[in-house]
Amino acid sequence: MKRSVNIDERWFLAAVPDGAVAARIYRLARTLKRAHNFTGKPIASDRLHISLFFLGGLPDPIVQMACEALTGVRTQPFDVSFDRVVSFRGKPGSRPFVLVGREGPSQLKSFRQMLGDALTRRGLRRRANANFTPHVTLLYDARHAEEYPIEPISWTVNELVLVRSQNGHHHVARWSLR
């Protein structure tokens, strides 16, 4: 039996920090929320991630194609580091307040290019868009904060995670980079 596509269901590929780093990011989000008088709720530590590709609401055969495309991607684990925070443009009243890196983590960008090439080879070119600003969303708020430096937050990306986001984040599949 085919699963119907739920337009509220969102699939994406992500790099996820380990528990200790996620807890540190969450504490930082809470501190910065107070410092900026933000009213938005910090993203829960188990939902923090770097979105690599948004796949949208997909039927099972397309999700399976994406999974098959990623099976052949090979690379060594690599480090990412974020040393600034800033508000991105967003919907009125809901600007993402995010961690970013000074130069944009170059190994992460190369990894994402590899993933995009793999998706394109499997006929998922539309999902493999080129726009990418590496970031971790801390919270959403109506207020804006200018970019400024923070103590760097780093971790080693050891795996790629397929996430289904509907009523929480569900890690559906994982691919080790080792």
Side-chain angles (χ1 to χ4, degrees), residues 88-120:
F88 282 173
R89 281 186 236 142
K91 297 175 190 172
S94 184
R95 293 173 179 253
F97 182 60
V98 303
L99 292 174
V100 292
R102 181 181 317 275
E103 299 298 321
S106 62
Q107 287 180 298
L108 180 64
K109 289 181 177 183
S110 296
F111 177 60
R112 186 178 182 277
Q113 180 63 50
M114 240 189 304
L115 296 174
D117 292 346
L119 291 171
T120 297

Side-chain angles (χ1 to χ4, degrees), residues 158-169:
N158 291 307
E159 65 182 358
L160 173 64
V161 180
L162 176 65
V163 180
R164 186 181 78 224
S165 177
Q166 182 185 19
N167 300 322
H169 281 189

Side-chain angles (χ1 to χ4, degrees), residues 135-150:
H135 68 279
V136 177
T137 302
L138 301 174
L139 57 84
Y140 293 89
D141 200 86
R143 298 185 60 156
H144 173 81
E146 294 296 324
E147 183 176 307
Y148 64 91
I150 60 163

Side-chain angles (χ1 to χ4, degrees), residues 37-48:
N37 292 316
F38 287 147
T39 58
K41 182 179 176 184
I43 304 295
S45 61
D46 63 343
R47 294 178 61 124
L48 293 166

Side-chain angles (χ1 to χ4, degrees), residues 74-91:
R74 297 283 180 256
T75 191
Q76 292 297 310
F78 56 90
D79 293 335
V80 293
S81 184
F82 298 94
D83 59 2
R84 295 174 297 136
V85 292
V86 66
S87 292
F88 282 173
R89 281 186 236 142
K91 297 175 190 172

